[in-house]
Amino acid sequence: MKTHRGRGFDRIGRGLRRALGGPNRWRAVLLLAYVMALNSADSGVIGAVANELRHVLHIGNTQIGLLSSIPAIIGALATVPVGQLVDRMPRMPLLIGSVLLWSLATAADGLAQSYLWLLLSRVALGAVTATAGPMVASLAGDLFPRAERGRIYARVLSGELLGSGLGLVAGSDIAAVSWRAAFWLIAAVGFGLAVALWKWLPEPPRTQADGQCAQDETASWPLWRATKYVLSVRTNVLLIIASAIGYFFFAGLHTFAFELVRDRYQVGRAELTALVPVIGAAALLGVNLGGRWADRLGHTGHPTARVTVPGVAYAASVALFLPGLLTRQTWLALPLFAGAAGALAAANPPLDAARLDIMPPRLWGRAESVRTVLRMGAQAVAPIVFGWLSDALGSGPSGAQRAQSGVDRAFLIGLAPLMINGLLLRARRTYPADAAAARAAVARTAVSQG
């Protein structure tokens, strides 16, 4: 007979499984979130150990930025053929193999004896980055029905935020003893993910939005034709631009957030570590509210909610980040930054769900790979741009002091592209027709094969 405490743990477990998508789907949601967590943890580690790397390897912020940019560049180049494979081959062996490669490369980071060694060892890290976007999009579309994708995507993308927090907190705490051990910890997490994927996430059948099996003829399209189609959908182009801009700012934030807070507000390592859960909780709240609100509004007669909610969220993030960057009062900046992080995170789940809505199912992998090329291009450029701006705009007698003092000015300039995401509101005119066209294409395929 179970004790009262045992029954309590059972109730907590059942509640957690319901929150993750129900008794039959919670494991898939958790593992996809784990993939996204691994994808973002690395950038968090680089940001956390940046100060140690700067002093040990005698480098500046531009070189620090390159350490985040190199995996993104490699991933951007690799993601196009990966998207083609995702639409045509079993997906789980490809995903597991890329995670293992990523883990080995991260372990090699911790063995680096020079900046060049560290830079070259990070080339292989693009493997999981290239695989994560197309793979998660394709699997999520097959595993979860259209009406719930905003809410479910919010759970999956929560992993991205948790991974960033893990990288920052674990990297910061461990870097006080050894920056090498910070990389080894993340590598161990990656090996654990590969085992979990192999044991608990079998290859799902290819399905269309209503759950019926479909063999869409778009699967046989050559890459050039699929890319042309993806870029011919006006709503998709606007969504890609907005996503790339959002991730551009987020990549800069991943790499230099610790530098910004430490220099501008004179916060020590212990205080920095304590701030991460606060900002992370706000971002987690935002990502889950964004997906839930978009789905709920869609159910209550607002068919464009999946593009309207992100547009409003981006505007809110700029409105909160700006006064936070202008003040030097920690007590005022913290709630502003927390709210801005929540608003920035809230945009992603409805955006990701909307992209699945406007594409035939057997184009999901390649459509996501096209988006990932541009998104990761923005992510690759962002750390270099933020690092160069902080080096160029800073002031002080030494290079390190100039780099640190220029970070806040770099972030002020970085807010400008986020304002452009008001263009998303224009997608309200095209999204319903593009979503209907994708559903009609699937219906025509099903009829022709029936």
Side-chain angles (χ1 to χ4, degrees):
M1 180 179 293
K2 289 188 176 180
T3 65
H4 177 72
R5 179 178 295 181
R7 290 193 295 271
F9 284 134
D10 284 346
R11 285 194 295 271
I12 293 172
R14 288 194 297 270
L16 180 60
R17 288 191 290 270
R18 283 195 299 271
L20 290 172
N24 298 322
R25 297 181 296 177
W26 69 272
R27 189 173 288 162
V29 173
L30 195 61
L31 288 174
L32 292 182
Y34 198 167
V35 172
M36 300 305 294
L38 185 64
N39 196 30
S40 61
D42 176 70
S43 294
V45 170
I46 291 295
V49 304
N51 197 47
E52 285 74 17
L53 294 178
R54 184 183 295 109
H55 288 95
V56 171
L57 301 178
H58 308 291
I59 57 178
N61 278 354
T62 303
Q63 287 77 22
I64 294 292
L66 277 171
L67 294 176
S68 291
S69 297
I70 288 298
I73 291 170
I74 298 301
L77 294 174
T79 193
V80 174
V82 165
Q84 189 87 338
L85 293 175
V86 165
D87 285 338
R88 295 183 176 183
M89 293 178 57
R91 290 158 289 186
M92 296 312 301
L94 180 63
L95 180 58
I96 293 168
S98 69
V99 170
L100 287 172
L101 176 60
W102 187 96
S103 302
L104 289 170
T106 304
D109 285 348
L111 298 172
Q113 300 298 315
S114 66
Y115 177 74
L116 180 60
W117 178 337
L118 184 60
L119 189 65
L120 291 176
S121 70
R122 296 181 62 75
V123 169
L125 293 176
V128 74
T129 310
T131 307
M135 193 72 67
V136 169
S138 180
L139 291 171
D142 286 338
L143 289 167
F144 312 117
R146 179 180 183 274
E148 299 180 22
R149 284 187 196 140
R151 179 172 62 86
I152 295 296
Y153 244 124
R155 275 45 168 189
V156 172
L157 293 181
S158 294
E160 194 170 46
L161 299 172
L162 291 171
S164 297
L166 172 66
L168 286 170
V169 174
S172 178
D173 288 342
I174 295 174
V177 179
S178 169
W179 62 267
R180 299 179 187 278
F183 288 111
W184 292 334
L185 172 64
I186 300 301
V189 173
F191 286 120
L193 172 60
V195 173
L197 288 169
W198 175 66
K199 290 183 65 176
W200 293 317
L201 189 60
E203 179 76 22
R206 304 278 184 172
T207 60
Q208 63 185 50
D210 60 5
Q212 299 174 356
C213 292
Q215 293 295 323
D216 191 341
E217 79 269 10
T218 56
S220 63
W221 284 2
L223 184 59
W224 68 266
R225 185 178 178 188
T227 302
K228 181 179 178 181
Y229 177 85
V230 166
L231 294 178
S232 71
V233 180
R234 292 182 60 192
T235 305
N236 195 46
V237 173
L238 290 173
L239 298 182
I240 288 173
I241 292 171
S243 178
I245 290 173
Y247 276 95
F248 172 87
F249 189 83
F250 211 51
L253 202 62
H254 272 180
T255 307
F256 295 112
F258 266 28
E259 300 294 308
L260 170 69
V261 176
R262 180 170 51 225
D263 176 61
R264 188 167 185 81
Y265 305 106
Q266 302 300 310
V267 175
R269 182 178 293 276
E271 291 83 359
L272 280 171
T273 302
L275 287 176
V276 171
V278 177
I279 302 296
L284 281 172
L285 179 63
V287 77
N288 283 282
L289 287 178
R292 183 177 294 273
W293 282 342
D295 282 358
R296 183 170 297 175
L297 288 171
H299 295 158
T300 56
H302 297 82
T304 62
R306 283 182 176 166
V307 293
T308 302
V309 169
V312 173
Y314 281 128
S317 69
V318 174
L320 291 167
F321 265 124
L322 183 59
L325 289 170
L326 293 176
T327 183
R328 289 189 176 272
Q329 303 298 318
T330 307
W331 64 269
L332 179 58
L334 178 59
L336 289 170
F337 286 154
L344 191 62
N348 290 326
L351 276 183
D352 289 345
R355 284 196 301 274
L356 294 181
D357 294 344
I358 59 178
M359 288 291 148
R362 292 304 291 267
L363 276 179
W364 280 338
R366 281 165 289 176
E368 184 64 15
S369 72
V370 171
R371 196 270 300 205
T372 302
V373 168
L374 299 176
R375 188 206 82 192
M376 292 180 62
Q379 285 182 278
V381 169
I384 300 173
V385 170
F386 277 85
W388 178 80
L389 284 172
S390 66
D391 286 339
L393 299 176
S395 59
S398 70
Q401 288 175 325
R402 286 194 297 273
Q404 291 171 351
S405 67
V407 170
D408 56 342
R409 299 169 193 175
F411 274 101
L412 279 171
I413 294 174
L415 285 177
L418 275 184
M419 299 179 186
I420 299 174
N421 279 353
L423 288 172
L424 266 179
L425 297 178
R426 295 185 60 185
R428 296 171 63 188
R429 301 181 222 168
T430 57
Y431 168 77
D434 288 339
R439 292 194 297 272
V442 174
R444 287 195 300 270
T445 300
V447 169
S448 66
Q449 292 176 349

